[in-house]
Amino acid sequence: MTSNQPTTSMFLIFVRVFWMGLGPIILTIISFSIISQGGGWFTPADIAFLVVLGALPLARWIEFRRGNPQTSTGEPATPAHLRKYVVGVISLGLAVWSLANLLGN
């Protein structure tokens, strides 16, 4: 895990792109959908949001286990970085989901 070899697997590249950018973009789009459509707390948009939110830490964990995980500064990531990411993304994601539902309903 501490090697500086580049990630070469297309799957691992997708996983990294997903947790770093694509997943948060999808969550943003779904959040705006929840706000604009309303309709309750557990609509299909809410389920989609929670599925994508759950996929973010899963993707980071996959990269951590199979890839070459790095911090934003390019240093090797540690288990502490993974825990911090999981707690942060779940906490922030649930807060955004709650806020979107409060605004939309």
Side-chain angles (χ1 to χ4, degrees):
M1 282 189 291
T2 59
S3 69
N4 289 329
Q5 298 173 351
T7 302
T8 55
S9 165
M10 287 304 290
F11 174 71
L12 289 176
I13 291 171
F14 173 76
V15 165
R16 180 173 286 180
V17 168
F18 178 78
W19 76 261
M20 289 179 77
L22 187 60
I25 290 169
I26 293 170
L27 289 179
T28 302
I29 292 168
I30 295 172
S31 296
F32 284 121
S33 173
I34 292 170
I35 292 169
S36 66
Q37 294 178 0
W41 281 77
F42 290 103
T43 64
D46 293 309
I47 302 302
F49 185 96
L50 296 173
V51 167
V52 173
L53 180 62
L56 288 174
L58 177 63
R60 180 64 168 144
W61 179 79
I62 290 170
E63 181 196 30
F64 194 85
R65 300 298 290 173
R66 294 188 172 185
N68 183 21
Q70 298 177 351
T71 64
S72 61
T73 59
E75 298 171 5
T78 65
H81 291 110
L82 179 62
R83 283 189 297 275
K84 183 178 176 183
Y85 176 78
V86 170
V87 169
V89 78
I90 295 296
S91 300
L92 182 60
L94 290 176
V96 167
W97 176 69
S98 298
L99 181 62
N101 272 291
L102 288 173
L103 293 174
N105 297 314

